[in-house]
Amino acid sequence: MVIVPAFHDYVALDIAAKLAGHEIVETPEEGIELFVVGAHLRGQPLHHQLTSRGARFVGPARTTRDYRLVALGTVPPKPGLVRDAGHGALIEGEVYRLSAAHLGSFLSELPEPMSLGPVTLSDGGTVVGFSCAFDSASVGKDITDFGGWRAYLASAENLPAGGYMSR
C-alpha cells in the first residue's frame, strides 16, 4: 500500500511503479492539461507551483497565431498571453497535466492580472492556459515578436541594466 496526501495520485503512481519494478508513468490520462508561457516554465521561478501539485510535463507546445505576449510589470517578472485574433504569432510554451483539484487550488492563488482560460494550440487542440486581462496587456511591453518568454529573456540578458529592446 502506498499512502500519499490527498490529490497526489501521480506521486503514488510513481512510488508504486518503482516498488513494483515498473517504469514510471510519465503522463497519466487523467487530469487537465495546462499551457504555461512564462514564470511557470521549467527552470523559471514559479515552476515549483506546478511540481508541488504533482503536475506532469506533457511536452512543448505553441499557440495558434491568434495570441500576443506582453511583459508585465510583476515580481517576479512574467508575461501575459492575450488572444488577439489576426494580430498575433505562434507563442511557445509547455503543457502540463494535473488533477482538477490541484488546478482549482492553483487558480485560487493566481494574482491579478493573471487568469486561466481556453487557449488554442497550433495542433488544433484547446487546453486551459494562462492569460491576462486585455487592459493589463495594453500597459505591458509587447514581446510577441520573440515568440516566447525564454527567447525574450535571452535577448533581455544581453541588454544594459534596465534597458529595453524596441520591437
Side-chain angles (χ1 to χ4, degrees), residues 120-145:
T120 307
L121 300 179
S122 62
D123 67 4
T126 301
V127 297
V128 174
F130 275 92
S131 61
C132 73
F134 196 81
D135 58 341
S136 297
S138 67
V139 297
K141 176 176 175 41
D142 191 328
I143 59 171
T144 303
D145 291 342

